[in-house]
Structure formats: C-alpha cells, structure tokens
Amino acid sequence: MKKILLHSCCAPCSGAVLERLATDFRITIYYYNPNIDTPLEFMRRAEELEKLTKLGIDFDVVTEEYRPDEYNAAVRGLESLGEGSQRCYECYKLRLGKTADYAARHGYDFFTTTLSVSPHKKVAWIHEIGRELERATGVRYLDEDFKKRDGYRRSLELSRTLKLYRQNYCGCKYSKAEAERRSQPMPSTTHANCNAHKP
Ligand code: SF4
C-alpha cells in the first residue's frame, strides 16, 4: 500500500477523510498548525485526534511542536485582512509546505490536507500550492476536494457520533475575533450571515 501524509487541521475535518483514504493508503496524520491562537487550543485540537481511533482505521499521528512564530512570520503585514484573503493563502502555504517537506524527508508517496473539507476554505488555492510543492519535492500531491461526494456532510455526522470538540473559529486570533463579531446580535432589520463551524 502507498504511504500518505495527511495534514490535519482538526479532528472534525479528519474523520471523513480518513474513511475515504483508508482503502487505498497507509495513513499518517500530520498535525502542524502554528496558526492556532493559544497553546491550550492547539493541544485541545491535537488531543481530539485520539477519538478518531474509534473509527477502527489504522493510522499514525505525528504532532509537530507549537511554534506560533512561524505563523506570525508567514502572515506579517497581512494581519488586518479578513478571512479568505492573502493571509489565508500564506497560512495554507506554510502548513502544506511543512507537510510536503516532512513527506519528502520520510519517504511518503503522497501528501494531502484536510483543509478542503471546510466550505470556507479556497480549494483552488490549496491545490495550486499542493501542485507547486509536488514539483518542488517530488512527492505526489493528492488533489482531492474532500468536501465533495458527501464528505462535508459525513464530517458533521462523525463529529456528532464521536462527540468531537468542534471549534467555532478557524484557528488564528484574527479568525476568532471575526467569529466573535459575527456572533454579536444584528439589528432586527438585517440578517446575520450564518457562518458557524469553521474548521
Ligand atoms: S483564518 Fe484560518 S486559514 Fe486564514 S489565516 Fe487564520 S487560521 Fe489561517
């Protein structure tokens, strides 16, 4: 079986992806997320991955140290931009870059990421970065959009079944502030944009 390194942003986004990959690959989850706003939140999301063993799928987990400086350097000058902006492009690039590098150094056949499960992420950017890294490292990038073929619905279902902690913001302190602003009551003449779980 081919070996795949699966970058994981959190447990809720990872369950359905594990199910999809398990028949074709030997999977290692790679938890590298220096974008997360606090060490506590970083650990909480990391520990939640343990619950995915209940799926009965064999996988290993590699957890990288929490190094927020790496994220801060990657998005310097872009902090005030909103979600879905160039800030997020640089954030994807940092996390995928580290994943591809680890995959190349440890003899993986493929790498990919759970980021595409979220409807709030820009899949075209994720694939563009992944293909560029494939050319640079020689490790194949699996360019799946994991929300498709019912992937997003299944991820929600598994989150409920496995009682996973589901954060209501993407990860960085900027996305947390945006989520808090969104949760403020809106004037009665307008409609709030429902934008809850943002893995
Ligand atoms: S909103 Fe999410 S993807 Fe964008 S910079 Fe923050 S953590 Fe990264």
Side-chain angles (χ1 to χ4, degrees):
M1 247 187 187
K2 299 280 185 196
K3 284 169 57 179
I4 191 163
L5 189 66
L6 170 65
H7 167 260
S8 165
C9 54
C10 61
C13 283
S14 302
V17 178
L18 283 176
E19 284 185 333
R20 191 168 301 176
L21 297 178
T23 48
D24 297 320
F25 295 100
R26 255 176 53 216
I27 307 166
T28 301
I29 285 183
Y30 187 65
Y31 185 77
Y32 171 68
N33 297 296
N35 53 313
I36 295 175
D37 60 332
T38 66
L40 197 68
E41 178 71 17
F42 176 87
M43 282 316 296
R44 190 173 185 192
R45 294 190 195 190
E47 285 165 7
E48 210 62 9
L49 292 170
E50 183 66 26
K51 291 187 187 164
L52 298 175
T53 55
K54 293 181 196 157
L55 292 171
I57 294 168
D58 264 350
F59 62 88
D60 298 313
V61 180
V62 172
T63 302
E64 287 287 358
E65 254 179 73
Y66 180 51
R67 290 190 287 262
D69 288 356
E70 294 181 1
Y71 170 74
N72 293 336
V75 303
R76 192 155 293 134
L78 306 170
E79 296 89 340
S80 63
L81 301 181
E83 208 161 330
S85 69
Q86 186 69 21
R87 187 188 74 211
C88 298
Y89 184 90
E90 297 303 328
C91 181
Y92 302 165
K93 196 168 148 190
L94 173 67
R95 290 185 282 168
L96 276 169
K98 188 86 172 182
T99 307
D101 179 59
Y102 187 97
R105 286 187 290 109
H106 293 86
Y108 283 84
D109 303 293
F110 286 84
F111 71 98
T112 192
T113 176
T114 60
L115 288 171
S116 67
V117 170
S118 167
H120 303 291
K121 299 286 189 301
K122 295 195 173 175
V123 178
W125 282 358
I126 295 168
H127 288 347
E128 177 187 301
I129 294 165
R131 290 175 190 131
E132 209 168 284
L133 289 164
E134 175 180 297
R135 286 191 289 277
T137 61
V139 184
R140 288 188 64 189
Y141 169 66
L142 187 71
D143 59 351
E144 275 257 351
D145 184 345
F146 289 111
K147 81 176 73 50
K148 291 196 171 163
R149 294 191 282 134
D150 241 7
Y152 182 59
R153 188 200 58 75
R154 180 65 179 152
S155 75
L156 296 179
E157 188 175 75
L158 286 175
S159 295
R160 279 192 299 274
T161 316
L162 301 176
K163 297 187 171 44
L164 299 178
Y165 159 59
R166 291 176 62 223
Q167 62 279 352
N168 68 347
Y169 66 106
C170 186
C172 63
K173 60 185 169 191
Y174 316 110
S175 63
K176 188 176 201 172
E178 287 174 51
E180 281 166 1
R181 279 197 296 279
R182 277 196 302 270
S183 69
Q184 298 299 311
M186 299 286 283
S188 57
T189 49
T190 59
H191 297 282
N193 175 23
C194 177
N195 204 6
H197 170 55
K198 299 180 75 68

